[in-house]
Amino acid sequence: GAGVSQTPSNKVTEKGKYVELRCDPISGHTALYWYRQSLGQGPEFLIYFQGTGAADDSGLPNDRFFAVRPEGSVSTLKIQRTERGDSAVYLCASSPPGLAGVNTGELFFGEGSRLTVL
Amino acid sequence: QKEVEQNSGPLSVPEGAIASLNCTYSDRGSQSFFWYRQYSGKSPELIMFIYSNGDKEDGRFTAQLNKASQYVSLLIRDSQPSDSATYLCAVNSPGSQGNLIFGKGTKLSVKP
């Protein structure tokens, strides 16, 4: 596709359940990011992949959150034992490679997955 | 704690006026600065980036950067109702390639 694709667009789950959110980045974009955004707030960084490896996972709030990108393209964000405080829009973004492989910081966002934990 | 601060607004301007959006950041090591526009219920989209001190113009948009004051702004000339959105300032996190720290955003309303 032409843009970043995220599924599902909406997910309602019960407290304590397991959730997976999927992101398909723009073809050729080597960097992939997960952010989450709560109402009235800016996007909050979670994790960044360069290729298959997590280059920076310092934003993951705790060990209930995990993300993978096994083949360097599609990524899955996994949330275990969901809590009501996890409710937010989870945004995925990808970024093209810049000069000398340094990322430009120009992020292209998907439409997000809205997670509601009841 | 690395921070990006923006006035949450709402900022209301009449159609045709200049809208001025401001942002300050805490980390002097930041080198790249971005403005994203986010329409209600939509995802952010990049509208401007600036790396060097001074002004950068792109159509009706001008980004201004003053690293000494740790201040970045966005001017929108000839504001249109279609410019009504939340504007997010983002700053790179030094030491982490490409990771951006976002402000909470300023909500702009352009009245016809």
Side-chain angles (χ1 to χ4, degrees), chain A residues 33 35 37 40-43 45 48 50 56 58 91 101-107 109-112, chain B residues 32 34 36 38 41-46 49 51 88 93 96-105:
Chain A
Y33 306 81
Y35 284 80
Q37 187 173 25
Q41 303 295 314
F45 170 74
Y48 152 58
Q50 183 64 259
D56 184 352
S58 62
L91 295 167
V102 177
N103 291 322
T104 61
E106 298 170 50
L107 304 184
F109 284 90
E111 288 302 315
Chain B
S32 307
F34 304 83
Y36 283 79
Q38 187 171 28
K42 299 295 186 181
S43 59
E45 57 176 330
L46 179 67
F49 61 87
Y51 301 145
L88 299 162
S93 176
S96 177
Q97 288 190 45
N99 172 17
L100 298 184
I101 301 169
F102 284 83
K104 292 184 178 181

Side-chain angles (χ1 to χ4, degrees), chain A residues 32-66:
Chain A
L32 184 147
Y33 306 81
W34 284 99
Y35 284 80
R36 73 176 175 182
Q37 187 173 25
S38 300
L39 195 63
Q41 303 295 314
E44 174 194 13
F45 170 74
L46 297 176
I47 187 169
Y48 152 58
F49 288 90
Q50 183 64 259
T52 59
D56 184 352
D57 64 358
S58 62
L60 295 177
N62 51 58
D63 61 5
R64 295 188 298 106
F65 289 75
F66 189 70

Side-chain angles (χ1 to χ4, degrees), chain A residues 4-9 19-25 32 34 68 73-78 90-92 110-113:
Chain A
V4 177
S5 176
Q6 290 189 248
T7 56
S9 55
V19 166
E20 287 191 355
L21 306 175
R22 174 189 165 103
C23 173
D24 194 349
L32 184 147
W34 284 99
V68 295
S73 178
V74 171
S75 176
T76 304
L77 178 66
K78 308 180 180 191
Y90 287 80
L91 295 167
C92 177
E111 288 302 315
S113 292

Side-chain angles (χ1 to χ4, degrees), chain B residues 48-69:
Chain B
M48 289 284 288
F49 61 87
I50 186 167
Y51 301 145
S52 303
N53 274 331
D55 295 359
K56 179 182 179 182
E57 187 174 316
D58 183 0
R60 295 186 296 112
F61 298 94
T62 299
Q64 299 175 316
L65 174 62
N66 183 328
K67 290 185 180 179
S69 300

